[in-house]
Amino acid sequence: MRKIRLRKEGPDALLERLRNELNPAQFAAVTAPDGFNLVLAGPGSGKTRVITYRVAYLIAKGVAPDAILLVTFTRRAAREMVGRLESLVGPRATLICAGTFHHIGNRLIRKWSDRLGLSSNFTILDSEDQRAMVGLAMEEAGLIGTGKYAPKAALVARLLSLAFNRGRDLEDVAAEAGLAVEEWGPRLRRAADAYADRKRQHNCVDYDDLLSLWRRLLDEFPDVRAAQGAMFRHLLVDEMQDTNAAQVALVETIARAGAGNLTAVGDDAQSIYRFRGAEYANILDFQKRNPDAKVFPLDVNYRSTPEIVAFSNASIGHNQTGFPKTMVAIRASGPVPLVVPAADVYEEAEFLCQQILENVDQGIGLGQMAVLYRNHFDSVILQAELSQRRVPYTVRGGMRFFEQAHIKDVLAYLRLIVNSRDELAWRRVLQLLPGIGQVKSAALWQHLASSADPLMEVATAPMMSKVPVKSKGPFAAFVADLRRIQETDPANHPADAIAAILRGGYTEVVRRLYERPDERLQDIQQLGVLAARYEDLEKLVADLVLAGDVQGMDALDDADHSESLVLSTIHQAKGLEWSRVFVPRLVEEGFPSGRALGEPGGEEEERRTFYVAVTRAMDELVLTYPLTTQRGGRGPVIVATPSRFLTELDEALYERAVLETDLELAWSSGTRPGGES
């Protein structure tokens, strides 16, 4: 009988493999001694490889796989790391406890649920379930039916989550969101208490409870704390800079209760999620909290060209806080970053489209390029230009601009002006009014449909008589808004019509119905900027409708991303990379954000956000800004100030370009348009 020896890689063989496959800094981090370790992994430095090889090294040393806790920030990251581990240590990799904080918290809470007054079969509320239960709690607290400006369940649920993740009082978070705390504060607190009671009664938890209840187990039950310390001999945490106060306390408490082994991996220069509750101090003060901690910097960048690395080094060097950082590039040289001022936001969008298409002609796939911006509304004009040129694109982590509910609302107003017999537009705008739902809007439309001119009929007494009593005030205001829109001569000045919509009651509709109302109102202002290019409302409406129906521009599966340009906020792009990266709208008060500049530490976080953007580029980096802007596309032209993130840098680090049109080139060469000289 034939015998085959099954080879298994022992510790010595694995160690030799590590020496061959890792650079000295990576090898030192992977083979770090027991204790508290901080791995500072700069962009493109092989962070994921270091984490997975560290786990493989621990297993090869004899640490039981199920005694290793690996915490990641996404389930996808956990799956990828475990998959890589399998190629190193075989099936044992699947025995490690790997997942997000919430995933691991769920497992541990179920194990000790009786200590918390829960049954082990508790239900986790998804976002929709949470909003529904918050709504019921709001009814108990008197927050429902108290006026059209009362906060909605979605907003209250968001405030509760923000308060927990930021470790702030609910009333303070509500005040920052623009709620009148004097009026709503006590009822908001009662609603929070009623929501907590309902969860206990129904054996339910929400996502934040998976952290807060886990923390209770550690704080209130010493035997549970000791048991979890014994359960996990080694803890590893990815993206340490993105943890909040509760998350870092969890892993450090367990490590201290056990063998005292914690490896934290992250990059302080990529800490950009303060608005979600991330604590910059979690990584910056790691050594203060753990005085014996050892630090392992990874400073070799395998991703970007030396020119892009030099540019990003110089940029982040202007921050006064953070660990000293100078990344070293090992790739071959490439072009220096290109800085391009454009006359206005329209020319900026035209230039970006032209550059993207020229790259396609050179064989660079659309999926190898990304446009990264500070705010979603910064992409509005570009999305319109891409639609006109039929360039397929996907918006990462969000809906395309023209598919969003508030943009469809404004489009419905404009559609009524173009075609007063547009039933769907009437139903949409009528349902924005308090007390009018699908049934009542259908009945009101039936009355309007019998009129020769529904826009004239809407203001008549017979129409008003069919409106519910509680809706008569808002309906009268709506009629007044329609009149003001008509008075702007919308057929010839569409931007004025959009400005009139914002001056009317629709602004309060946005604040009443939608989350993140300020961002949505800025979206509509950008729609006004787009509309300022039009002198024909019918054409604008047609283009807006068609913008959502361009071949190849629907949401694509992962397999199709190579065929579409990526549009993304910088926050959504973190951890990713592309051959060509374009960063538009680099003006003061835009990027950096004016609001962030008014907050302590805001400028440095904005610069870290810029650092994340430019370090996504592998081969080429293009940065653009408009020389002039107009609020809402109307009013005086404002001369824009280039972003400090450009002006503070030595011009030797980049190349500046000047845009010329074919018409300008023709005149400068002595040849008039049409071939005459």
Side-chain angles (χ1 to χ4, degrees), residues 35-40 235 237 240 243 248 251-252 255-256 261-265 280-295 323:
F36 283 77
N37 299 304
L38 176 61
V39 180
L40 294 173
L235 295 87
V237 181
M240 186 65 168
T243 56
V248 76
V251 292
E252 291 188 353
R256 294 190 190 102
N261 298 320
L262 171 63
T263 299
V265 184
Y280 184 45
N282 285 354
I283 190 168
L284 205 61
D285 297 341
F286 187 83
Q287 288 176 287
K288 291 182 182 178
R289 297 191 307 275
N290 310 292
D292 296 330
K294 295 169 284 295
V295 179
F323 296 100

mmCIF file of all heavy atoms in Angstrom, residues 35-40 235 237 240 243 248 251-252 255-256 261-265 280-295 323:
data_model
loop_
_atom_site.group_PDB
_atom_site.id
_atom_site.type_symbol
_atom_site.label_atom_id
_atom_site.label_comp_id
_atom_site.label_asym_id
_atom_site.label_seq_id
_atom_site.Cartn_x
_atom_site.Cartn_y
_atom_site.Cartn_z
ATOM 1 N N GLY A 35 2.212 40.692 25.280
ATOM 2 C CA GLY A 35 1.998 41.967 25.942
ATOM 3 C C GLY A 35 1.143 42.872 25.088
ATOM 4 O O GLY A 35 0.450 42.425 24.153
ATOM 5 N N PHE A 36 1.168 44.163 25.388
ATOM 6 C CA PHE A 36 0.415 45.152 24.626
ATOM 7 C C PHE A 36 1.303 45.680 23.504
ATOM 8 O O PHE A 36 2.413 46.169 23.755
ATOM 9 C CB PHE A 36 -0.040 46.297 25.532
ATOM 10 C CG PHE A 36 -1.226 45.949 26.388
ATOM 11 C CD1 PHE A 36 -1.086 45.163 27.520
ATOM 12 C CD2 PHE A 36 -2.498 46.394 26.044
ATOM 13 C CE1 PHE A 36 -2.178 44.823 28.307
ATOM 14 C CE2 PHE A 36 -3.601 46.067 26.822
ATOM 15 C CZ PHE A 36 -3.442 45.278 27.957
ATOM 16 N N ASN A 37 0.815 45.576 22.271
ATOM 17 C CA ASN A 37 1.569 46.006 21.092
ATOM 18 C C ASN A 37 0.706 46.917 20.230
ATOM 19 O O ASN A 37 -0.485 46.657 20.041
ATOM 20 C CB ASN A 37 2.004 44.802 20.256
ATOM 21 C CG ASN A 37 2.916 43.862 21.026
ATOM 22 O OD1 ASN A 37 3.945 44.279 21.537
ATOM 23 N ND2 ASN A 37 2.531 42.590 21.119
ATOM 24 N N LEU A 38 1.324 47.968 19.708
ATOM 25 C CA LEU A 38 0.638 48.882 18.795
ATOM 26 C C LEU A 38 1.369 48.867 17.466
ATOM 27 O O LEU A 38 2.554 49.214 17.396
ATOM 28 C CB LEU A 38 0.612 50.298 19.370
ATOM 29 C CG LEU A 38 -0.001 51.386 18.472
ATOM 30 C CD1 LEU A 38 -1.471 51.081 18.170
ATOM 31 C CD2 LEU A 38 0.137 52.764 19.121
ATOM 32 N N VAL A 39 0.674 48.453 16.419
ATOM 33 C CA VAL A 39 1.245 48.427 15.072
ATOM 34 C C VAL A 39 0.692 49.619 14.308
ATOM 35 O O VAL A 39 -0.513 49.692 14.036
ATOM 36 C CB VAL A 39 0.902 47.113 14.344
ATOM 37 C CG1 VAL A 39 1.514 47.117 12.946
ATOM 38 C CG2 VAL A 39 1.390 45.913 15.144
ATOM 39 N N LEU A 40 1.547 50.580 13.990
ATOM 40 C CA LEU A 40 1.145 51.770 13.240
ATOM 41 C C LEU A 40 1.355 51.487 11.758
ATOM 42 O O LEU A 40 2.480 51.549 11.254
ATOM 43 C CB LEU A 40 1.963 52.980 13.693
ATOM 44 C CG LEU A 40 1.718 53.440 15.136
ATOM 45 C CD1 LEU A 40 2.693 54.535 15.525
ATOM 46 C CD2 LEU A 40 0.280 53.908 15.301
ATOM 47 N N LEU A 235 -5.701 38.979 21.983
ATOM 48 C CA LEU A 235 -6.688 39.800 21.289
ATOM 49 C C LEU A 235 -5.979 40.634 20.238
ATOM 50 O O LEU A 235 -4.891 41.188 20.488
ATOM 51 C CB LEU A 235 -7.426 40.730 22.254
ATOM 52 C CG LEU A 235 -8.314 40.087 23.322
ATOM 53 C CD1 LEU A 235 -7.502 39.755 24.571
ATOM 54 C CD2 LEU A 235 -9.473 41.008 23.696
ATOM 55 N N VAL A 237 -6.954 43.765 17.360
ATOM 56 C CA VAL A 237 -7.975 44.722 16.939
ATOM 57 C C VAL A 237 -7.492 45.456 15.701
ATOM 58 O O VAL A 237 -6.425 46.085 15.716
ATOM 59 C CB VAL A 237 -8.293 45.740 18.057
ATOM 60 C CG1 VAL A 237 -9.378 46.705 17.601
ATOM 61 C CG2 VAL A 237 -8.726 45.024 19.326
ATOM 62 N N MET A 240 -7.711 50.394 14.851
ATOM 63 C CA MET A 240 -7.833 50.902 16.209
ATOM 64 C C MET A 240 -8.260 52.369 16.230
ATOM 65 O O MET A 240 -8.952 52.809 17.149
ATOM 66 C CB MET A 240 -6.491 50.735 16.937
ATOM 67 C CG MET A 240 -6.523 51.104 18.407
ATOM 68 S SD MET A 240 -7.597 49.982 19.343
ATOM 69 C CE MET A 240 -7.144 50.423 21.022
ATOM 70 N N THR A 243 -12.114 53.028 16.635
ATOM 71 C CA THR A 243 -12.904 52.550 17.770
ATOM 72 C C THR A 243 -13.469 53.724 18.556
ATOM 73 O O THR A 243 -12.886 54.811 18.596
ATOM 74 C CB THR A 243 -12.049 51.688 18.722
ATOM 75 O OG1 THR A 243 -10.913 52.452 19.150
ATOM 76 C CG2 THR A 243 -11.585 50.416 18.045
ATOM 77 N N VAL A 248 -12.963 50.367 22.760
ATOM 78 C CA VAL A 248 -11.593 50.207 23.252
ATOM 79 C C VAL A 248 -11.597 49.734 24.698
ATOM 80 O O VAL A 248 -10.731 48.948 25.119
ATOM 81 C CB VAL A 248 -10.792 51.516 23.088
ATOM 82 C CG1 VAL A 248 -11.168 52.556 24.139
ATOM 83 C CG2 VAL A 248 -9.296 51.244 23.145
ATOM 84 N N VAL A 251 -12.036 45.685 24.780
ATOM 85 C CA VAL A 251 -10.894 44.816 24.487
ATOM 86 C C VAL A 251 -9.776 45.003 25.506
ATOM 87 O O VAL A 251 -9.099 44.031 25.888
ATOM 88 C CB VAL A 251 -10.379 45.038 23.047
ATOM 89 C CG1 VAL A 251 -11.398 44.539 22.039
ATOM 90 C CG2 VAL A 251 -10.039 46.501 22.783
ATOM 91 N N GLU A 252 -9.566 46.234 25.979
ATOM 92 C CA GLU A 252 -8.496 46.433 26.957
ATOM 93 C C GLU A 252 -8.866 45.826 28.306
ATOM 94 O O GLU A 252 -7.999 45.303 29.019
ATOM 95 C CB GLU A 252 -8.163 47.919 27.074
ATOM 96 C CG GLU A 252 -7.497 48.466 25.809
ATOM 97 C CD GLU A 252 -6.982 49.887 25.951
ATOM 98 O OE1 GLU A 252 -7.254 50.521 26.999
ATOM 99 O OE2 GLU A 252 -6.303 50.370 25.026
ATOM 100 N N ALA A 255 -8.292 42.042 27.959
ATOM 101 C CA ALA A 255 -6.858 41.733 27.916
ATOM 102 C C ALA A 255 -6.251 41.805 29.316
ATOM 103 O O ALA A 255 -5.472 40.923 29.712
ATOM 104 C CB ALA A 255 -6.145 42.697 26.974
ATOM 105 N N ARG A 256 -6.605 42.839 30.070
ATOM 106 C CA ARG A 256 -6.042 42.982 31.419
ATOM 107 C C ARG A 256 -6.564 41.900 32.359
ATOM 108 O O ARG A 256 -5.874 41.512 33.312
ATOM 109 C CB ARG A 256 -6.364 44.369 31.975
ATOM 110 C CG ARG A 256 -5.678 45.505 31.223
ATOM 111 C CD ARG A 256 -5.821 46.838 31.940
ATOM 112 N NE ARG A 256 -5.373 47.924 31.084
ATOM 113 C CZ ARG A 256 -6.192 48.732 30.419
ATOM 114 N NH1 ARG A 256 -7.503 48.570 30.531
ATOM 115 N NH2 ARG A 256 -5.706 49.685 29.656
ATOM 116 N N ASN A 261 -2.457 40.200 26.653
ATOM 117 C CA ASN A 261 -1.927 40.231 25.285
ATOM 118 C C ASN A 261 -2.927 40.913 24.347
ATOM 119 O O ASN A 261 -4.005 40.381 24.079
ATOM 120 C CB ASN A 261 -1.658 38.815 24.778
ATOM 121 C CG ASN A 261 -0.618 38.093 25.618
ATOM 122 O OD1 ASN A 261 0.372 38.684 26.033
ATOM 123 N ND2 ASN A 261 -0.850 36.808 25.877
ATOM 124 N N LEU A 262 -2.559 42.090 23.883
ATOM 125 C CA LEU A 262 -3.419 42.834 22.956
ATOM 126 C C LEU A 262 -2.555 43.462 21.879
ATOM 127 O O LEU A 262 -1.606 44.200 22.178
ATOM 128 C CB LEU A 262 -4.200 43.919 23.700
ATOM 129 C CG LEU A 262 -4.979 44.912 22.824
ATOM 130 C CD1 LEU A 262 -6.069 44.209 22.021
ATOM 131 C CD2 LEU A 262 -5.580 46.026 23.669
ATOM 132 N N THR A 263 -2.863 43.152 20.627
ATOM 133 C CA THR A 263 -2.199 43.787 19.488
ATOM 134 C C THR A 263 -3.203 44.676 18.780
ATOM 135 O O THR A 263 -4.207 44.193 18.245
ATOM 136 C CB THR A 263 -1.654 42.733 18.497
ATOM 137 O OG1 THR A 263 -0.693 41.912 19.166
ATOM 138 C CG2 THR A 263 -0.994 43.412 17.308
ATOM 139 N N ALA A 264 -2.966 45.974 18.828
ATOM 140 C CA ALA A 264 -3.837 46.945 18.163
ATOM 141 C C ALA A 264 -3.154 47.420 16.889
ATOM 142 O O ALA A 264 -1.973 47.791 16.906
ATOM 143 C CB ALA A 264 -4.120 48.125 19.086
ATOM 144 N N VAL A 265 -3.893 47.412 15.785
ATOM 145 C CA VAL A 265 -3.339 47.788 14.484
ATOM 146 C C VAL A 265 -4.153 48.943 13.924
ATOM 147 O O VAL A 265 -5.398 48.924 13.956
ATOM 148 C CB VAL A 265 -3.378 46.600 13.502
ATOM 149 C CG1 VAL A 265 -2.717 46.968 12.183
ATOM 150 C CG2 VAL A 265 -2.718 45.373 14.109
ATOM 151 N N TYR A 280 -10.166 59.646 18.558
ATOM 152 C CA TYR A 280 -8.786 59.750 18.093
ATOM 153 C C TYR A 280 -7.809 59.347 19.194
ATOM 154 O O TYR A 280 -6.775 58.722 18.948
ATOM 155 C CB TYR A 280 -8.547 61.192 17.641
ATOM 156 C CG TYR A 280 -7.199 61.486 17.029
ATOM 157 C CD1 TYR A 280 -6.638 60.637 16.081
ATOM 158 C CD2 TYR A 280 -6.504 62.640 17.373
ATOM 159 C CE1 TYR A 280 -5.415 60.927 15.497
ATOM 160 C CE2 TYR A 280 -5.284 62.945 16.794
ATOM 161 C CZ TYR A 280 -4.738 62.087 15.860
ATOM 162 O OH TYR A 280 -3.528 62.379 15.276
ATOM 163 N N ALA A 281 -8.160 59.663 20.449
ATOM 164 C CA ALA A 281 -7.270 59.363 21.570
ATOM 165 C C ALA A 281 -7.094 57.869 21.787
ATOM 166 O O ALA A 281 -6.121 57.456 22.440
ATOM 167 C CB ALA A 281 -7.803 60.012 22.849
ATOM 168 N N ASN A 282 -7.994 57.057 21.273
ATOM 169 C CA ASN A 282 -7.878 55.612 21.495
ATOM 170 C C ASN A 282 -6.566 55.059 20.958
ATOM 171 O O ASN A 282 -5.957 54.181 21.571
ATOM 172 C CB ASN A 282 -9.056 54.871 20.848
ATOM 173 C CG ASN A 282 -10.333 55.038 21.630
ATOM 174 O OD1 ASN A 282 -10.341 55.610 22.719
ATOM 175 N ND2 ASN A 282 -11.433 54.547 21.083
ATOM 176 N N ILE A 283 -6.132 55.561 19.819
ATOM 177 C CA ILE A 283 -4.851 55.105 19.266
ATOM 178 C C ILE A 283 -3.716 56.029 19.697
ATOM 179 O O ILE A 283 -2.609 55.583 19.991
ATOM 180 C CB ILE A 283 -4.912 54.978 17.720
ATOM 181 C CG1 ILE A 283 -3.664 54.274 17.186
ATOM 182 C CG2 ILE A 283 -5.132 56.328 17.055
ATOM 183 C CD1 ILE A 283 -3.776 53.853 15.730
ATOM 184 N N LEU A 284 -4.002 57.324 19.787
ATOM 185 C CA LEU A 284 -2.949 58.285 20.125
ATOM 186 C C LEU A 284 -2.428 58.065 21.542
ATOM 187 O O LEU A 284 -1.226 58.198 21.797
ATOM 188 C CB LEU A 284 -3.503 59.708 19.976
ATOM 189 C CG LEU A 284 -2.491 60.819 19.707
ATOM 190 C CD1 LEU A 284 -1.762 60.566 18.399
ATOM 191 C CD2 LEU A 284 -3.189 62.168 19.676
ATOM 192 N N ASP A 285 -3.321 57.720 22.474
ATOM 193 C CA ASP A 285 -2.939 57.555 23.884
ATOM 194 C C ASP A 285 -2.786 56.085 24.287
ATOM 195 O O ASP A 285 -2.854 55.751 25.474
ATOM 196 C CB ASP A 285 -3.995 58.219 24.789
ATOM 197 C CG ASP A 285 -4.075 59.718 24.569
ATOM 198 O OD1 ASP A 285 -3.111 60.287 24.022
ATOM 199 O OD2 ASP A 285 -5.107 60.316 24.934
ATOM 200 N N PHE A 286 -2.597 55.212 23.319
ATOM 201 C CA PHE A 286 -2.491 53.789 23.626
ATOM 202 C C PHE A 286 -1.368 53.522 24.630
ATOM 203 O O PHE A 286 -1.533 52.750 25.588
ATOM 204 C CB PHE A 286 -2.243 53.004 22.333
ATOM 205 C CG PHE A 286 -2.286 51.508 22.499
ATOM 206 C CD1 PHE A 286 -3.496 50.829 22.498
ATOM 207 C CD2 PHE A 286 -1.116 50.763 22.662
ATOM 208 C CE1 PHE A 286 -3.547 49.445 22.647
ATOM 209 C CE2 PHE A 286 -1.158 49.385 22.810
ATOM 210 C CZ PHE A 286 -2.378 48.725 22.808
ATOM 211 N N GLN A 287 -0.244 54.172 24.446
ATOM 212 C CA GLN A 287 0.890 53.949 25.362
ATOM 213 C C GLN A 287 0.638 54.567 26.731
ATOM 214 O O GLN A 287 1.152 54.078 27.735
ATOM 215 C CB GLN A 287 2.176 54.508 24.755
ATOM 216 C CG GLN A 287 2.716 53.683 23.591
ATOM 217 C CD GLN A 287 3.928 54.328 22.967
ATOM 218 O OE1 GLN A 287 3.815 55.328 22.271
ATOM 219 N NE2 GLN A 287 5.100 53.760 23.219
ATOM 220 N N LYS A 288 -0.139 55.649 26.781
ATOM 221 C CA LYS A 288 -0.462 56.243 28.084
ATOM 222 C C LYS A 288 -1.327 55.296 28.900
ATOM 223 O O LYS A 288 -1.137 55.150 30.112
ATOM 224 C CB LYS A 288 -1.194 57.574 27.889
ATOM 225 C CG LYS A 288 -0.336 58.688 27.315
ATOM 226 C CD LYS A 288 -1.138 59.976 27.198
ATOM 227 C CE LYS A 288 -0.309 61.092 26.582
ATOM 228 N NZ LYS A 288 -1.106 62.337 26.429
ATOM 229 N N ARG A 289 -2.282 54.657 28.241
ATOM 230 C CA ARG A 289 -3.157 53.728 28.951
ATOM 231 C C ARG A 289 -2.435 52.418 29.274
ATOM 232 O O ARG A 289 -2.789 51.734 30.242
ATOM 233 C CB ARG A 289 -4.409 53.427 28.117
ATOM 234 C CG ARG A 289 -5.293 54.627 27.851
ATOM 235 C CD ARG A 289 -6.645 54.198 27.262
ATOM 236 N NE ARG A 289 -6.502 53.358 26.090
ATOM 237 C CZ ARG A 289 -6.333 53.807 24.857
ATOM 238 N NH1 ARG A 289 -6.300 55.106 24.623
ATOM 239 N NH2 ARG A 289 -6.209 52.957 23.845
ATOM 240 N N ASN A 290 -1.446 52.089 28.445
ATOM 241 C CA ASN A 290 -0.725 50.820 28.602
ATOM 242 C C ASN A 290 0.773 51.119 28.558
ATOM 243 O O ASN A 290 1.417 50.971 27.505
ATOM 244 C CB ASN A 290 -1.123 49.846 27.484
ATOM 245 C CG ASN A 290 -2.638 49.716 27.339
ATOM 246 O OD1 ASN A 290 -3.297 49.178 28.212
ATOM 247 N ND2 ASN A 290 -3.180 50.220 26.233
ATOM 248 N N PRO A 291 1.339 51.561 29.678
ATOM 249 C CA PRO A 291 2.722 52.091 29.679
ATOM 250 C C PRO A 291 3.776 51.118 29.162
ATOM 251 O O PRO A 291 4.834 51.554 28.685
ATOM 252 C CB PRO A 291 2.959 52.430 31.160
ATOM 253 C CG PRO A 291 1.589 52.629 31.731
ATOM 254 C CD PRO A 291 0.704 51.662 30.998
ATOM 255 N N ASP A 292 3.534 49.833 29.251
ATOM 256 C CA ASP A 292 4.536 48.867 28.790
ATOM 257 C C ASP A 292 4.377 48.507 27.310
ATOM 258 O O ASP A 292 5.082 47.620 26.808
ATOM 259 C CB ASP A 292 4.448 47.587 29.633
ATOM 260 C CG ASP A 292 4.802 47.834 31.094
ATOM 261 O OD1 ASP A 292 5.614 48.741 31.362
ATOM 262 O OD2 ASP A 292 4.252 47.133 31.972
ATOM 263 N N ALA A 293 3.466 49.169 26.646
ATOM 264 C CA ALA A 293 3.190 48.817 25.249
ATOM 265 C C ALA A 293 4.396 49.098 24.353
ATOM 266 O O ALA A 293 5.129 50.068 24.545
ATOM 267 C CB ALA A 293 1.978 49.594 24.749
ATOM 268 N N LYS A 294 4.567 48.250 23.369
ATOM 269 C CA LYS A 294 5.624 48.409 22.372
ATOM 270 C C LYS A 294 4.984 48.865 21.053
ATOM 271 O O LYS A 294 3.873 48.448 20.721
ATOM 272 C CB LYS A 294 6.378 47.093 22.175
ATOM 273 C CG LYS A 294 7.133 46.651 23.431
ATOM 274 C CD LYS A 294 7.644 45.243 23.329
ATOM 275 C CE LYS A 294 6.504 44.231 23.522
ATOM 276 N NZ LYS A 294 5.913 44.260 24.861
ATOM 277 N N VAL A 295 5.695 49.730 20.324
ATOM 278 C CA VAL A 295 5.173 50.308 19.085
ATOM 279 C C VAL A 295 5.987 49.801 17.903
ATOM 280 O O VAL A 295 7.227 49.808 17.934
ATOM 281 C CB VAL A 295 5.199 51.851 19.135
ATOM 282 C CG1 VAL A 295 4.677 52.432 17.821
ATOM 283 C CG2 VAL A 295 4.366 52.361 20.302
ATOM 284 N N PHE A 323 1.436 60.575 15.594
ATOM 285 C CA PHE A 323 2.770 59.979 15.588
ATOM 286 C C PHE A 323 3.553 60.480 14.378
ATOM 287 O O PHE A 323 2.980 60.633 13.290
ATOM 288 C CB PHE A 323 2.662 58.454 15.529
ATOM 289 C CG PHE A 323 2.002 57.840 16.732
ATOM 290 C CD1 PHE A 323 0.666 57.448 16.680
ATOM 291 C CD2 PHE A 323 2.703 57.657 17.915
ATOM 292 C CE1 PHE A 323 0.046 56.885 17.779
ATOM 293 C CE2 PHE A 323 2.090 57.093 19.024
ATOM 294 C CZ PHE A 323 0.764 56.711 18.963
#
